[in-house]
Amino acid sequence: MFKHCVLILAFVIALPSFAVEPDEILDDPILETRARDISANVRCVVCQNEPIDSSNAGVARDLRLLIRERLVAGDSDDQVYDFLVARYGDYVLFKPPWRPSTYLLWLAPFLILGGGIIGMVYALMRKPQNPHAGLNADEQAQLDELIGSNNEGDAT
Amino acid sequence: MKRILMTLPMVLVLILGAFLYWGLNPDRNPNEIPSPLLGKSVPDFTLAGIDGVDVGGFGSAELSSGGIKLVNVFASWCVPCRAEHGVLIKLAARENVQLYGINYKDKPTDAQQWLAEMGNPYAAVGSDFSGRVGIEWGVSGVPETFIVSPDGVILYHYRGPLVGDTALRDFGEGLRRAREQIGQS
């Protein structure tokens, strides 16, 4: 029983592991939070789909330390991002900035959605062809003739 | 209206086709990291030399005068650098360029041993033990090689070892274009 409890407890209190090492963490909790937020948004250039916050690569650690250094020196978050973008390009940001080269990227979902809505409205607004609409004059004449000849046949 | 609608499938196919043609092109490297430093001056830095190496360190000042320069980022712990080293020796001897080495995150003693063992093609080697200068250059991993114009502007950036036909063709093309650019300006 005790063993099971320990096991369950171990699962419950298990926390996700982070690459941030104890010696990197700043004493000031506010700055540290900002640093964590920034590093969660910065791509590791070695292991490309990981943020530097959770990457064990050497460059990622260097960048984490650098971000903290700059924050301690009084940089704003934007200044830190600008510093990184100047060296590694927009590529290091997980959230690409709004600028002419990324307009299409940001707008594509809305364009596709808009196209879909227009298409649907068009399809729904189209006048449905009523299969039960009345006969036209030719058809009516033909029908009358058929019914007429039929009646005549009955009479005789 | 109907005419326009009828061409729609073809338009969609063409757009999709163009996208796939671009996306599936075997020459496209989806892992490529763009280099925002191209066309900009080399970053401001100075690197001390390595004890026991017969050439000294260097900095932005050395890169802003003279002819075309190559800046190679290497480390003794980097296996592809070992493969690339022979190519660098040939490049430095054959082409009319000066080769500078940034020894990235490497112990100076290891770097000294490496150069003693493999030969030293560099006109100057600076030790970037902390990796800070590497970050200034936008280095993501060793080896990387830059082509720098006589007045210290970064003209070309190659990530990876200069080994194999593709790498050498791309780098040679970069060097040729750099020379052209300088001849024109």
Side-chain angles (χ1 to χ4, degrees):
Chain A
M1 188 60 202
F2 176 72
K3 259 191 201 165
H4 285 110
C5 285
V6 169
L7 194 67
I8 290 168
L9 203 66
F11 278 121
V12 170
I13 62 170
L15 293 169
S17 64
F18 295 108
V20 179
E21 287 161 41
D23 62 317
E24 296 175 20
I25 294 170
L26 296 174
D27 294 333
D28 183 341
I30 300 169
L31 284 185
E32 177 62 23
T33 315
R34 279 173 63 203
R36 292 299 298 271
D37 286 348
I38 294 175
S39 32
N41 273 321
V42 173
R43 186 195 299 271
C44 166
V45 281
V46 181
C47 27
Q48 300 189 349
N49 281 327
E50 235 182 332
I52 57 169
D53 193 47
S54 54
S55 168
N56 290 310
V59 181
R61 179 183 153 87
D62 291 347
L63 286 175
R64 284 198 300 268
L65 288 171
L66 191 98
I67 287 171
R68 284 171 172 77
E69 249 173 50
R70 298 200 73 91
L71 288 177
V72 169
D75 271 16
S76 72
D77 289 9
D78 284 342
Q79 279 172 316
V80 174
Y81 283 126
D82 288 348
F83 176 88
L84 293 169
V85 168
R87 283 152 188 79
Y88 291 99
D90 290 344
Y91 179 83
V92 288
L93 305 175
F94 273 119
K95 193 174 163 189
W98 172 254
R99 62 178 71 192
S101 61
T102 60
Y103 284 170
L104 193 64
L105 181 70
W106 279 104
L107 294 178
F110 303 104
L111 290 177
I112 293 170
L113 183 71
I117 289 174
I118 291 171
M120 234 168 77
V121 166
Y122 179 78
L124 290 174
M125 295 278 282
R126 245 166 63 167
K127 247 194 168 164
Q129 297 235 332
N130 188 352
H132 305 299
L135 304 171
N136 63 26
D138 281 354
E139 287 165 339
Q140 189 63 51
Q142 220 178 342
L143 185 67
D144 286 347
E145 203 185 302
L146 280 170
I147 293 171
S149 63
N150 213 3
N151 287 347
E152 276 161 29
D154 280 350
T156 51
Chain B
M1 189 65 198
K2 230 173 186 168
R3 282 261 174 82
I4 301 176
L5 272 182
M6 268 164 65
T7 58
L8 197 65
M10 205 163 84
V11 171
L12 286 178
V13 164
L14 284 178
I15 292 174
L16 190 71
F19 181 71
L20 291 179
Y21 182 77
W22 168 81
L24 297 175
N25 181 358
D27 286 338
R28 189 181 81 94
N29 176 8
N31 294 330
E32 200 170 87
I33 306 171
S35 301
L37 291 170
L38 292 182
K40 303 226 172 88
S41 293
V42 295
D44 205 15
F45 74 99
T46 9
L47 286 177
I50 295 168
D51 281 343
V53 176
D54 51 0
V55 293
F58 69 106
S60 332
E62 281 81 358
L63 296 179
S64 306
S65 60
I68 287 192
K69 290 152 296 253
L70 306 184
V71 177
N72 177 247
V73 186
F74 74 103
S76 67
W77 45 263
C78 144
V79 179
C81 298
R82 187 169 277 268
E84 178 189 63
H85 204 77
V87 177
L88 290 177
I89 290 175
K90 273 189 217 149
L91 259 179
R94 209 184 291 160
E95 306 277 347
N96 184 24
V97 290
Q98 268 196 313
L99 183 62
Y100 289 85
I102 295 179
N103 186 231
Y104 182 68
K105 296 183 74 128
D106 201 1
K107 285 189 197 128
T109 46
D110 290 350
Q112 187 268 326
Q113 248 174 23
W114 151 285
L115 289 173
E117 176 197 339
M118 313 259 307
N120 178 11
Y122 302 106
V125 179
S127 172
D128 178 25
F129 183 63
S130 69
R132 277 303 154 84
V133 172
I135 290 177
E136 292 295 328
W137 282 80
V139 167
S140 60
V142 275
E144 295 194 9
T145 309
F146 298 83
I147 299 177
V148 177
S149 80
D151 48 356
V153 174
I154 299 173
L155 298 177
Y156 185 80
H157 182 183
Y158 190 85
R159 298 183 195 267
L162 297 172
V163 175
D165 292 343
T166 322
L168 287 178
R169 189 194 64 207
D170 289 353
F171 190 78
E173 178 65 22
L175 196 57
R176 195 185 60 75
R177 256 185 295 153
R179 288 210 166 103
E180 253 177 39
Q181 226 168 313
I182 284 151
Q184 277 164 8
S185 59

